[in-house]
Amino acid sequence: MGLGPSPDCTDIRIEPIAAAHIESFHRTLDLVAREKKYLTLLEATPLPQTRDFVMGMIAKGNPQFVALTEDEVVGWCDISRHFFPSNAHRGRLGMGILPAYRGKGLGRKLIDTTLKAAQEAGFLRVELDVYEDNSRAIALYEKVGFVREGIFRRAARIDGRFINAIGMALVFEEDRPA
């Protein structure tokens, strides 16, 4: 992808995902998934399924943003609204960033943008699960207001190793600015 060894994040744009971003998003999702450290997926779903997911997110008005350098997706953050009407005020957050772009504040920009859009779209609660050994992500989530709600023991099994996950949530307060 020609992204270089130590990219400068000043030229990165954060935009709502669009159909034109799907193939690049799919490549980035696959690269992060294949690290086998951060996502439930161990590889991206086939491109047609990824396309259906993204187009569904757009159609439903679910917040999904991508970080772009030139026209390549280098990170994403999305919130999927729960399906059942009694849970429709809740959403599940997912995000990922290519390794070369981590630790530069991009995750904070992505999550802030996505949470603001979620609140504007009427979400009242955003949830996520994070592997307990992902201290960088946990620190980011706590900085933006997520609180730990519980531990999911043996939540994932990757290459024969069990990993616990921490359930976290952010509840938008009535007086919290969007």
Side-chain angles (χ1 to χ4, degrees):
M1 294 190 332
L3 299 177
S6 183
D8 179 3
C9 289
T10 57
D11 66 339
I12 294 179
R13 302 178 327 275
I14 296 177
E15 298 179 1
I17 198 164
H21 302 132
I22 292 172
E23 287 185 24
S24 181
F25 167 68
H26 182 261
R27 286 190 297 274
T28 297
L29 173 64
D30 192 57
L31 284 167
V32 175
R34 288 178 186 274
E35 289 181 88
K36 297 183 178 182
K37 291 171 26 180
Y38 307 110
L39 304 181
T40 302
L41 293 173
L42 301 180
E43 63 183 65
T45 56
L47 182 58
Q49 285 178 260
T50 301
R51 184 178 311 281
D52 290 346
F53 170 76
V54 170
M55 297 310 291
M57 291 287 283
I58 293 169
K60 294 171 190 164
N62 287 334
Q64 185 172 21
F65 289 85
V66 289
L68 300 164
T69 180
E70 297 177 13
D71 289 322
E72 288 295 318
V73 173
V74 298
W76 78 91
C77 186
D78 57 54
I79 300 174
S80 301
R81 190 178 297 274
H82 284 276
F83 175 76
F84 295 109
S86 62
N87 292 336
H89 63 289
R90 296 167 45 200
R92 176 152 299 277
L93 183 137
M95 68 182 299
I97 297 173
L98 289 177
Y101 291 86
R102 294 178 189 149
K104 301 173 188 292
L106 182 56
R108 179 68 187 254
K109 291 177 187 172
L110 272 168
I111 201 168
D112 282 347
T113 301
T114 307
L115 288 171
K116 184 176 189 295
Q119 191 171 18
E120 290 169 356
F123 287 82
L124 301 177
R125 176 182 166 91
V126 178
E127 305 157 345
L128 60 87
D129 297 344
V130 57
Y131 295 144
E132 70 179 0
D133 60 357
N134 191 350
S135 56
R136 182 182 283 171
I138 293 165
L140 170 63
Y141 299 143
E142 288 178 338
K143 277 183 200 163
V144 299
F146 282 84
V147 297
R148 299 172 191 225
E149 293 192 331
I151 300 281
F152 300 102
R153 294 180 305 136
R154 294 184 165 201
R157 185 171 163 185
I158 300 173
D159 295 334
R161 180 177 75 95
F162 286 104
I163 306 166
N164 294 339
I166 300 170
M168 301 181 80
L170 182 151
V171 177
F172 294 117
E173 302 300 331
E174 296 291 330
D175 58 351
R176 181 178 169 159

